[in-house]
Amino acid sequence: MTARICDQMQLDALLSLGGRALSDQFVADLARCETHFIEALGVASTDKRQGLELARRALHELRGIALTVGATSLSRQCAKAEALCDLGHLQDVVEARAEILATCDALTKLIRDYPEGTSL
């Protein structure tokens, strides 16, 4: 995982406009996508095709959130894992899971700890 989680100027601009309510929404959206991704991999253990489709959807949404806040590293990780889902490479998606979730956790912490009313 890279030390730079996101474009701090982009995140600062977004969160300075929306305040705590917007940062709380981003945190909730990240958590929901992470949960859907984890659940999808569980489904894939019994129904590979369905699980990979659910994982691809969760990753796609997660990638959109990442792009919104300038988290390009997370966006690239999700795009790569989405492609692996499309190719049916379940084991590779499972292997990408830890890095994706670690980056999500770091981004969540950054957003949660965002100092309201100040610049990052």
Side-chain angles (χ1 to χ4, degrees):
M1 182 173 57
T2 64
R4 185 169 176 215
I5 299 166
C6 69
D7 180 324
Q8 291 189 347
M9 289 179 61
Q10 185 173 343
L11 181 63
D12 185 43
L14 280 170
L15 296 184
S16 67
L17 292 173
R20 187 56 49 201
L22 185 58
S23 63
D24 289 347
Q25 186 62 54
F26 278 127
V27 168
D29 289 346
L30 283 166
R32 180 180 39 76
C33 289
E34 285 180 84
T35 298
H36 289 169
F37 179 49
I38 292 166
E39 289 172 348
L41 293 179
V43 169
S45 68
T46 57
D47 185 344
K48 181 180 173 182
R49 186 171 152 211
Q50 179 66 21
L52 284 172
E53 176 57 24
L54 293 171
R56 190 197 59 73
R57 289 179 191 173
L59 289 162
H60 184 78
E61 187 173 359
L62 187 56
R63 183 167 53 104
I65 295 166
L67 287 172
T68 300
V69 299
T72 55
S73 177
L74 178 58
S75 175
R76 281 191 302 271
Q77 292 168 3
C78 291
K80 182 178 177 183
E82 276 184 79
L84 293 169
C85 288
D86 289 339
L87 294 170
H89 295 181
L90 176 58
Q91 187 56 42
D92 292 332
V93 176
V94 170
E95 290 172 9
R97 176 182 172 238
E99 185 177 16
I100 291 169
L101 294 179
T103 305
C104 283
D105 289 346
L107 180 59
T108 296
K109 180 176 178 5
L110 180 67
I111 294 171
R112 188 177 290 135
D113 294 346
Y114 176 76
E116 192 171 359
T118 60
S119 180
L120 288 175

